[in-house]
Amino acid sequence: MVGDQESITVVLNRLRRAHGQLAGVISMIEDGRDCKDVVTQLAAVSKALDRAGFKIVATGLRECLAGDDTSKEPMTQEELEKLFLALA
């Protein structure tokens, strides 16, 4: 992922949080925890992943608009739409 160090750090922190939450969900299922608790934690994992994805797309879009990445062709509108829809 190309981006400023702050954005990369934010994304990595969100992914690490989601990783820990997912491990917790697995443990909860293995321990036979209540369905409501499992679904609540699973929703938290999903939200953390969504936020990481949105941050990646937003960072990429900012770089595209600023023309920071001269090593690649600019993304087309269709490619940007596909990225956004993949997270929807």
Side-chain angles (χ1 to χ4, degrees):
M1 179 177 139
V2 178
D4 62 276
Q5 192 57 44
E6 181 181 344
S7 295
I8 292 170
T9 300
V10 168
V11 168
L12 288 173
N13 286 341
R14 287 181 178 158
L15 291 174
R16 286 185 182 108
R17 185 178 309 121
H19 184 264
Q21 290 169 323
L22 184 57
V25 169
I26 292 169
S27 293
M28 291 172 75
I29 292 171
E30 290 172 342
D31 295 343
R33 295 277 302 272
D34 183 62
C35 178
K36 180 182 173 188
D37 295 337
V38 172
V39 171
T40 299
Q41 284 304 308
L42 197 54
V45 172
S46 180
K47 185 173 182 177
L49 290 174
D50 286 345
R51 291 179 60 92
F54 289 132
K55 184 68 170 180
I56 290 168
V57 171
T59 299
L61 181 58
R62 185 178 64 235
E63 289 172 1
C64 266
L65 293 175
D68 291 345
D69 191 359
T70 57
S71 66
K72 295 183 181 180
E73 291 288 319
M75 292 180 75
T76 65
Q77 180 176 344
E78 291 80 21
E79 290 171 323
L80 288 169
E81 287 174 4
K82 187 175 179 179
L83 283 175
F84 281 110
L85 290 174
L87 294 171

